[in-house]
Amino acid sequence: MISVSMKNASKSFGENKVLKDVTFDTREGEIFGMLGPSGAGKTTIINILTRQLSVDSGECHVAVGSDEIGLMLEHDGLFTRLSCLDNLIVFEDIYGIPRERSIEALERVGLDDAQKTVVEQLSKGMRQRLVLARAVLHKPKILFLDEPTSALDPKTARGIHKLIRELRDAGGSTIFLTTHNMEEATHLCDRIVMLHNGAIIEQGTPKEICERYNAVKTVMDLESVFIQRTGGGLE
């Protein structure tokens, strides 16, 4: 079953065309990766799929309602003077979620000992884990993760990767992940697409793409090789 899809979707802001005939689909229960450097259009796509923006042309489909979507975005939106648990309680009230769910979510991300810790005292990695706990609090059917390990040290990033895989393996949720890290996508994703200047230039499984481009290690490597092979004809 297809969870999220776009077909020939385009979007402009003034004269700047940020998406150009983008077409892809995600399948229920997979981790779907969207790779691209800053400015490629990844966040714009998430904003469209989460109904914060509309497309100018083309089609966009999300199989669930807004209350069945979880978000982990670049700006975490945490209440810095509240504790970890109190941050989740705010969302309990919004979604009508029982209190034990928040405690379970904190345990799941390894913050059970930090329930009463004020957010402004947390490390970057702990804040990321708290945002992930908040994103899955209502057990969403589609989870959007916008560069969830950006600026994290390798050890902390591996911990977030483990949590993401556990969420996928628990069944039911489709995870839509954006990243600029090819290695991260290879470790996590079932399928990936590559964005360059708002257009999809490659898609397939991580293994297929690495073999096709001689096991390139980064998005910039993949982008450079693709441009060389196509003569740069992406505009």
Side-chain angles (χ1 to χ4, degrees):
M1 178 180 174
I2 293 175
S3 298
V4 170
S5 66
M6 280 185 161
K7 184 176 181 181
N8 302 123
S10 295
K11 180 68 179 179
S12 297
F13 296 108
E15 297 182 356
N16 181 24
K17 193 167 186 178
V18 294
L19 296 182
K20 306 165 187 175
D21 296 318
V22 171
T23 297
F24 66 87
D25 62 68
T26 74
R27 299 163 189 164
E28 185 176 342
E30 74 174 346
I31 300 178
F32 180 88
M34 179 163 285
L35 287 88
S38 298
K42 304 188 301 298
T43 300
T44 297
I45 286 175
I46 283 187
N47 287 339
I48 290 171
L49 293 174
T50 55
R51 304 180 177 101
Q52 299 175 71
L53 291 173
S54 59
V55 292
D56 296 333
S57 61
E59 300 175 8
C60 173
H61 171 74
V62 180
V64 301
S66 298
D67 60 344
E68 297 179 292
I69 290 173
L71 298 172
M72 184 177 179
L73 304 180
E74 179 181 2
H75 302 290
D76 59 39
L78 294 171
F79 301 105
T80 58
R81 296 186 180 181
L82 296 182
S83 69
C84 293
L85 181 58
D86 286 341
N87 265 270
L88 298 192
I89 288 173
V90 171
F91 281 80
E92 283 180 6
D93 294 339
I94 293 172
Y95 288 100
I97 296 169
R99 180 63 47 85
E100 59 267 20
R101 188 85 64 78
S102 290
I103 296 173
E104 290 172 1
L106 290 173
E107 290 175 349
R108 193 172 190 179
V109 301
L111 291 177
D112 44 316
D113 291 334
Q115 292 183 24
K116 297 182 180 180
T117 302
V118 176
V119 166
E120 62 186 5
Q121 298 176 358
L122 300 178
S123 67
K124 172 69 173 175
M126 294 174 75
R127 287 178 69 120
Q128 289 290 80
R129 284 187 278 156
L130 178 58
V131 175
L132 185 56
R134 187 185 64 190
V136 302
L137 189 62
H138 59 303
K139 297 185 178 180
K141 292 185 178 179
I142 300 177
L143 179 61
F144 291 95
L145 306 177
D146 192 8
E147 300 194 1
T149 61
S150 177
L152 296 183
D153 63 86
K155 181 179 179 180
T156 304
R158 286 193 296 271
I160 295 292
H161 292 170
K162 182 175 182 290
L163 291 170
I164 292 171
R165 284 192 293 268
E166 288 174 352
L167 289 170
R168 189 266 315 275
D169 295 341
S173 294
T174 299
I175 299 174
F176 187 103
L177 169 79
T178 71
T179 181
H180 59 268
N181 188 321
M182 186 68 184
E183 184 177 3
E184 177 171 76
T186 300
H187 288 317
L188 285 178
C189 299
D190 300 296
R191 291 186 301 135
I192 60 176
V193 297
M194 171 68 189
L195 273 182
H196 173 85
N197 288 343
I200 291 179
I201 61 174
E202 263 298 355
Q203 56 186 308
T205 67
K207 181 179 179 181
E208 288 170 348
I209 291 179
C210 286
E211 289 177 349
R212 201 174 299 154
Y213 292 93
N214 297 320
V216 294
K217 298 297 184 183
T218 70
V219 167
M220 296 305 293
D221 291 339
L222 176 56
E223 194 175 41
S224 297
V225 171
F226 185 90
I227 292 171
Q228 290 170 7
R229 293 186 183 183
T230 60
L234 294 168
E235 298 297 336

